[in-house]
Amino acid sequence: MNRHLILFRVIASKSVTLSRRYLVNTVVGFVTLYVFFALIFFGGQFVAEELISRSVGPLVVGYFLFTMAVSAYADLTHDLTDEAQWGTLEQLSMSPFGFTEVVAMKTVVNLLGTFATGMVLLVLMMATTGTWLTIAPLSVVVVGVLTLLPVVGLGFVFGGAALVYKQIEKVFPLIQLSFAGLIALPVQDYALLKLLPMSLGSHVLQRVMTDGLRVWELPVFDLGLLVGQSVVYLAIGLLVFRVGTAEARKRGVLGHY
Amino acid sequence: MSAVLEGARNVYWRLSVRENLAFFAGLHGIDPRTRGDRHEAIIDTLGLTAKADEPAKNLSRGMKQKVALGTTLARETPVLFLDEPMLGLDVETTRDLQTELQRLAQEEDKTIVITSHDMDVIEAVCDRVIVLSDGDIVADDSVDNLLDVFQSQSYRVQLAGNPPAHLREQLDTRFKLLNWRTDTDSAEFKIALAGSEEFYECVEILQTAEATIRSVTEIEPDLEDVFVELTTAESVSPEETET
């Protein structure tokens, strides 16, 4: 088996095993996401029934994207903090694959897990609202990944900062709030807003899931811009992460927390 | 390269012994499914067979340390770094680990680098010792050579009766008097003498003071004495220690 596949396999296996061993945490995390959505939906119906019934589709897609985005950028930092507290972070850094590849592979595993739980949550949300959206797997996955990759890039920036400055999670709620804003930006009215992470992706994903467009029916410019954003944000994220790793090693604080 | 770091858990407490070995093998690109037998052999050698499916968090400190060592072996690297590997372990576990480390070096041709303040462990396990003081290397030699260098420098002298009062001051001024103890009818002191000339000079001082020498014993230094001597004295270059 290819060495990189072996790495992927053991990281995925460890992730699944630890999720089972920390079962309460895993289940509570998922249930909390669903309950929060139910509160927004039913509470919203109570306050503004007409508005909610008109925007159920965008609400479901937006929440689906929001939960995955939060996970995509925060999981990496949480993982690094956990590993530092467990005393295993330095062990990861000794891998011949290099620390960045190990962490990147863990991020891929996290993204797959995020997509899996996101899809389950999506089905639950659609069942709760009674609004069934178009789920064309290929189109949802392609656009979803291209929307989340810039956020993963941000995750690497925060991960790199966490290695040097440690407890940085206090800024996370603020970032999460900004995600909600980015998802709802009116990119169709202000083209420049498309350059911000997730804003264009959110818009395109809405069209895929509520209007039933397939990925090949989307504007080529928008798709190209999504790919470009993914590459640029990811590259910046990886660069900052590598700088952060080098600085943490230089200061001798890689395993600190 | 693989390492066991002091103060870190090194392994995943929620994973079993087998799962830890499999993960760390994969972390170094080794497919754990093809190394089942080797992992079982490592587990067996470290005496962890009965606990192989137990999460590491349920194991004693010594066993966790063994699991950490096991994960470094599962990575199949030629060089192992062990930082204070015996810290906090009981005597039996320490002895087991020492034996295992010696076996690894001899039979599996592993290069094992141990950093430790426990000179007994170093003396028991290592071939070559590098002593650091304030970030500088003050000795780099084999254990045997280092012990030889400091072999004949310290003596325990027992005197019959009470020696004259000035003797202690005289010895302390001229040589390095390490300790001094007197009883009602005897005295004992430990002294460092550099070479035979100082030895004979010391004996002459004792004779002049009319002290009766009951015995003179050469003190066999252990590595801890060498370490203290090296780190408290001025730096000794490797060339000096080899002579």
Side-chain angles (χ1 to χ4, degrees):
Chain A
M1 191 192 266
N2 179 288
R3 280 165 52 84
H4 300 276
L5 280 178
I6 291 169
L7 180 66
F8 171 79
R9 198 174 157 275
V10 294
I11 288 178
S13 170
K14 186 194 84 176
S15 232
V16 171
T17 308
L18 288 179
S19 294
R20 285 207 319 262
R21 304 270 156 88
Y22 291 99
L23 192 61
V24 175
N25 189 42
T26 309
V27 171
V28 167
F30 184 78
V31 170
T32 306
L33 284 178
Y34 175 72
V35 169
F36 193 64
F37 173 77
L39 281 174
I40 294 173
F41 179 66
F42 292 116
Q45 271 189 330
F46 184 71
V47 177
E49 189 177 358
E50 199 184 335
L51 180 69
I52 286 292
S53 60
R54 269 193 290 116
S55 54
V56 169
L59 176 67
V60 169
V61 176
Y63 194 74
F64 168 65
L65 191 58
F66 175 75
T67 54
M68 290 200 304
V70 169
S71 177
Y73 100 99
D75 278 1
L76 173 60
T77 303
H78 286 315
D79 282 349
L80 293 174
T81 309
D82 283 347
E83 296 275 357
Q85 286 175 340
W86 294 338
T88 45
L89 192 64
E90 280 145 326
Q91 296 293 338
L92 299 185
S93 74
M94 282 183 261
S95 167
F97 292 105
F99 190 45
T100 306
E101 179 170 344
V102 172
V103 173
M105 202 63 95
K106 180 70 172 77
T107 303
V108 171
V109 170
N110 286 347
L111 267 182
L112 288 174
T114 299
F115 256 98
T117 51
M119 292 311 279
V120 176
L121 187 66
L122 183 62
V123 172
L124 279 175
M125 289 192 294
M126 290 191 296
T128 306
T129 57
T131 304
W132 295 90
L133 304 167
T134 312
I135 303 181
L138 178 69
S139 300
V140 171
V141 168
V142 169
V143 176
V145 167
L146 289 177
T147 307
L148 290 179
L149 281 181
V151 185
V152 171
L154 285 180
F156 272 103
V157 170
F158 281 100
L163 290 175
V164 180
Y165 302 109
K166 309 306 165 188
Q167 301 288 341
I168 60 159
E169 279 105 330
K170 286 206 166 53
V171 299
F172 280 11
L174 207 63
I175 307 288
Q176 288 177 14
L177 211 60
S178 70
F179 282 172
L182 288 168
I183 286 171
L185 282 178
V187 291
Q188 62 275 33
D189 299 331
Y190 303 99
L192 266 181
L193 294 177
K194 289 182 178 180
L195 294 174
L196 293 171
M198 280 213 306
S199 54
L200 176 61
S202 163
H203 173 69
V204 173
L205 195 63
Q206 293 280 2
R207 296 196 66 194
V208 168
M209 292 177 75
T210 55
D211 301 341
L213 282 182
R214 297 291 190 268
V215 69
W216 52 86
E217 296 170 321
L218 295 169
V220 177
F221 176 78
D222 284 354
L223 270 181
L225 195 56
L226 280 179
V227 172
Q229 274 186 339
S230 297
V231 171
V232 170
Y233 280 103
L234 210 52
I236 292 171
L238 286 170
L239 181 70
V240 172
F241 184 79
R242 288 181 78 94
V243 170
T245 305
E247 184 61 26
R249 280 190 164 134
K250 195 173 143 191
R251 296 187 188 185
V253 296
L254 187 64
H256 293 189
Y257 54 89
Chain B
M1 181 195 90
S2 55
V4 176
L5 304 174
E6 189 268 320
R9 293 182 181 182
N10 295 298
V11 298
Y12 293 93
W13 281 21
R14 295 269 177 168
L15 295 185
S16 72
V17 177
R18 279 199 181 94
E19 288 165 345
N20 266 298
L21 261 61
F23 174 75
F24 283 106
L27 191 64
H28 279 240
I30 300 161
D31 190 349
R33 291 175 304 179
T34 64
R35 293 294 202 280
D37 290 346
R38 176 166 169 79
H39 290 184
E40 290 309 310
I42 291 171
I43 289 168
D44 183 48
T45 306
L46 294 172
L48 293 168
T49 307
K51 304 284 185 184
D53 291 317
E54 197 77 32
K57 71 183 173 72
N58 295 346
L59 305 180
S60 68
R61 181 175 179 148
M63 282 188 169
K64 284 190 189 105
Q65 194 74 341
K66 285 182 178 179
V67 179
L69 182 60
T71 61
T72 64
L73 298 178
R75 282 174 258 191
E76 300 181 21
T77 55
V79 181
L80 275 64
F81 278 84
L82 308 177
D83 185 12
E84 298 285 6
M86 315 296 176
L87 195 68
L89 300 187
D90 58 65
V91 176
E92 193 181 352
T93 310
T94 300
R95 198 178 300 145
D96 286 351
L97 272 181
Q98 283 179 0
T99 308
E100 180 55 20
L101 293 178
Q102 283 167 325
R103 190 195 68 78
L104 286 168
Q106 286 159 10
E107 294 178 19
E108 298 199 17
D109 206 23
K110 301 278 186 196
T111 299
I112 304 173
V113 181
I114 297 177
T115 55
S116 179
H117 287 87
D118 187 340
M119 293 302 121
D120 290 340
V121 171
I122 302 292
E123 197 170 343
V125 177
C126 299
D127 300 316
R128 179 180 164 195
V129 181
I130 295 174
V131 180
L132 294 170
S133 179
D134 292 329
D136 295 322
I137 294 176
V138 292
D140 177 358
D141 212 331
S142 68
V143 172
D144 290 341
N145 279 353
L146 280 175
L147 291 175
D148 283 347
V149 167
F150 290 85
Q151 185 72 35
S152 53
Q153 290 194 336
S154 297
Y155 298 86
R156 181 176 291 107
V157 182
Q158 287 186 315
L159 303 176
N162 278 319
H166 68 272
L167 181 61
R168 179 179 179 176
E169 192 185 336
Q170 200 176 355
L171 289 172
D172 201 20
T173 308
R174 179 64 191 90
F175 309 110
K176 190 176 178 183
L177 193 60
L178 300 172
N179 68 19
W180 177 276
R181 187 169 58 82
T182 52
D183 285 331
T184 48
D185 60 347
S186 68
E188 183 179 307
F189 62 88
K190 191 175 163 187
I191 195 164
L193 301 170
S196 55
E197 276 185 25
E198 284 198 358
F199 178 82
Y200 290 119
E201 191 181 341
C202 176
V203 171
E204 196 176 318
I205 289 172
L206 292 174
Q207 283 175 336
T208 309
E210 295 183 343
T212 309
I213 300 171
R214 187 181 282 167
S215 69
V216 177
T217 315
E218 194 177 297
I219 298 171
E220 289 283 338
D222 57 19
L223 201 58
E224 190 167 329
D225 295 327
V226 175
F227 177 79
V228 170
E229 188 73 23
L230 283 168
T231 51
T232 52
E234 283 182 3
S235 293
V236 179
S237 69
E239 291 74 22
E240 283 174 299
T241 60
E242 281 167 9
T243 55

